[in-house]
Amino acid sequence: MTLSPSMHAHLERSNFTKPTPIQVAAIPPAMEGRDILATAQTGTGKTLSFLVPLVERMAVEHKDFKALILLPTRELAMQVLEAWRTLCNNQGKAALVCGGLAAGPQLAAIRKGARLIVATPGRLEDYLSSRSIKLDGVGMLVLDEVDRMLDMGFKPAIKRIAAQLPATRQTLCYSATLSPAIREVASLYLNNPVRIEISTELKPAPNVQLQSFEVPQDKKQELLEHLLDTTLGSFMVFVRTKHGADRVAHRLSRAGHAAAPIHGDRSQSQRIAALRGFAEGRHRVLVATDVVARGIDVSDVAHVVNYDIPREAEDYVHRVGRTGRASSHGVASTFTTPGESKIMRRIERTLSVSPVKYRVHPHEDSIKQVA
């Protein structure tokens, strides 16, 4: 790839030695200024596929050149901004624009000359509607996880934001699927885009070891602690409810495991602290609900546990996809009560997967593999 010496040096320092397929396909045309329409799942390395050309363009373009990245959730926005800061060694001004944070510092960062705005559509549109900011200098627009933004009802906001951007800009669009709604977005905002398709099949990554445990409801916590005691690495635990997340995290903490809950009722500062503590290794376990977890992108998660079984195959794939990202390996365990066996079989048939099965005997302290 025709990258600058400083970019090569940074990638080498960060141990990025082999680009992923999405990076191989997207970075060269993006560096040439082409629009991109890419379908790729989370965990394929797509963040670097748009940040590398973005940083490179900022290095050679006039200081008036700005970029805008739109994402569905604030957690994802914070992580993309952190990745950008790492990639450019904190050289350059950026602004985070999302709900749940004070407006003053966000507006101040933009007015002080931020060349990059990383935003969720709702809060950014609020600022545009009140004429607090202008976006007439944006030369690159990145729409990341467009399918999720549309699911969350952001289509009108995206349309109004795009209307305030220069017509002659570069646009990079990423989605997990290419539905008719995504095709419509592409036709509206992209100009003769390069089409990239990377592994959009609904299926867990092959480098994730799948296993399921039939376990009585009252033995789930004990089984989780057993896995923590006998397995190395970090754990992301999925539960169905906010109360359940608090309860599981509290019990783990009492048992001596560093755990933190993250869900919609936690304050923004609490969510940031939990996510940062998990990413930096202070918390070994992050207990999350599905809604919040869809905005989490943490590398090097060793083990995913479906403490509560997901109801749909798509949710199963999304949860399992938190581990085994890029070229790393991971383990995903699903706890099923005896009455949930039909749900698990349906998920397995839909995805054509066969997890290794175990059964926890209710009256014994034993876990036996099921033939």
Side-chain angles (χ1 to χ4, degrees), residues 62-137:
H62 189 268
K63 65 180 181 179
D64 290 336
F65 174 86
K66 297 183 174 109
L68 170 64
I69 302 175
L70 288 180
L71 305 114
T73 67
R74 54 192 166 192
E75 282 79 17
L76 196 54
M78 288 186 289
Q79 290 171 78
V80 168
L81 181 58
E82 187 65 28
W84 177 81
R85 285 173 172 158
T86 301
L87 200 60
C88 63
N89 293 318
N90 283 315
Q91 302 297 312
K93 297 178 180 179
L96 176 67
V97 173
C98 59
L101 300 174
Q106 297 182 36
L107 291 171
I110 296 171
R111 291 165 180 166
K112 287 178 182 176
R115 297 189 67 189
L116 172 66
I117 298 174
V118 184
T120 53
R123 174 57 66 91
L124 181 62
E125 190 187 19
D126 289 344
Y127 292 162
L128 292 172
S129 299
S130 63
R131 299 186 179 180
S132 301
I133 61 172
K134 292 183 178 180
L135 298 175
D136 49 2

Side-chain angles (χ1 to χ4, degrees), residues 244-257:
D246 286 333
R247 184 180 64 251
V248 171
H250 178 66
R251 288 178 178 175
L252 288 176
S253 297
R254 287 183 60 186
H257 300 284

Side-chain angles (χ1 to χ4, degrees), residues 44 55 63 109 121 139 150 152 170 179 192 200 244 287 354 364:
T44 53
V55 171
K63 65 180 181 179
L150 298 185
M152 295 168 71
Q170 181 182 14
S179 65
N192 188 27
T200 57
V287 187
S354 299
E364 305 174 24

Side-chain angles (χ1 to χ4, degrees), residues 41-360:
Q41 299 287 351
T42 298
T44 53
K46 62 184 176 65
T47 301
L48 270 187
S49 78
F50 60 76
L51 285 182
V52 167
L54 188 156
V55 171
E56 292 285 74
R57 281 200 66 182
M58 282 188 168
V60 298
E61 295 277 359
H62 189 268
K63 65 180 181 179
D64 290 336
F65 174 86
K66 297 183 174 109
L68 170 64
I69 302 175
L70 288 180
L71 305 114
T73 67
R74 54 192 166 192
E75 282 79 17
L76 196 54
M78 288 186 289
Q79 290 171 78
V80 168
L81 181 58
E82 187 65 28
W84 177 81
R85 285 173 172 158
T86 301
L87 200 60
C88 63
N89 293 318
N90 283 315
Q91 302 297 312
K93 297 178 180 179
L96 176 67
V97 173
C98 59
L101 300 174
Q106 297 182 36
L107 291 171
I110 296 171
R111 291 165 180 166
K112 287 178 182 176
R115 297 189 67 189
L116 172 66
I117 298 174
V118 184
T120 53
R123 174 57 66 91
L124 181 62
E125 190 187 19
D126 289 344
Y127 292 162
L128 292 172
S129 299
S130 63
R131 299 186 179 180
S132 301
I133 61 172
K134 292 183 178 180
L135 298 175
D136 49 2
V138 171
M140 179 186 286
L141 169 66
V142 178
L143 301 171
D144 192 18
E145 306 213 10
V146 180
D147 48 340
R148 286 172 54 197
M149 286 198 282
L150 298 185
D151 287 344
M152 295 168 71
F154 284 135
K155 182 179 177 180
I158 294 171
K159 182 177 181 180
R160 288 188 284 266
I161 291 168
Q164 300 200 37
L165 302 178
T168 55
R169 64 172 188 271
Q170 181 182 14
T171 304
L172 313 182
C173 180
Y174 292 79
S175 173
T177 61
L178 193 60
S179 65
I182 303 301
R183 292 182 187 276
E184 181 185 355
V185 167
S187 68
L188 289 172
Y189 308 127
L190 278 69
N191 178 33
N192 188 27
V194 175
R195 176 75 180 95
I196 299 169
E197 186 171 0
I198 305 293
S199 181
T200 57
E201 183 183 6
L202 186 65
K203 200 174 183 70
N207 48 338
V208 178
Q209 175 188 333
L210 303 176
Q211 52 192 31
S212 66
F213 296 83
E214 185 179 301
V215 53
Q217 183 69 34
D218 61 357
K219 290 277 188 177
K220 282 186 177 183
Q221 189 79 23
E222 187 178 328
L223 175 58
L224 176 57
E225 292 178 25
H226 169 77
L227 293 177
L228 284 162
D229 290 336
T230 58
T231 309
L232 299 175
S234 59
F235 275 60
M236 185 174 287
V237 178
F238 288 97
V239 294
R240 191 169 297 128
T241 67
K242 302 167 187 176
H243 175 68
D246 286 333
R247 184 180 64 251
V248 171
H250 178 66
R251 288 178 178 175
L252 288 176
S253 297
R254 287 183 60 186
H257 300 284
I262 183 167
H263 54 72
D265 281 351
R266 304 283 283 175
S267 70
Q268 183 65 17
S269 60
Q270 288 173 322
R271 291 160 73 169
I272 293 172
L275 191 58
R276 184 170 295 154
F278 183 65
E280 294 175 357
R282 294 192 303 278
H283 304 311
R284 187 187 176 198
V285 187
L286 188 68
V287 187
T289 55
D290 276 311
V291 173
V292 171
R294 284 188 173 271
I296 294 174
D297 187 9
V298 179
S299 60
D300 301 323
V301 176
H303 203 136
V304 164
V305 174
N306 292 316
Y307 190 93
D308 293 323
I309 188 172
R311 294 298 180 185
E312 302 295 336
E314 183 179 355
D315 294 329
Y316 180 87
V317 172
H318 176 79
R319 291 180 177 190
V320 168
R322 301 301 93 193
T323 187
R325 300 168 73 78
S327 59
S328 62
H329 291 264
V331 179
S333 300
T334 301
F335 296 175
T336 64
T337 63
E340 293 172 332
S341 56
K342 287 184 179 180
I343 298 174
M344 192 65 208
R345 285 198 298 271
R346 174 170 54 81
I347 290 172
E348 291 171 11
R349 285 197 304 270
T350 301
L351 301 175
S352 298
V353 296
S354 299
V356 178
K357 292 181 170 58
Y358 300 91
R359 180 173 292 122
V360 178

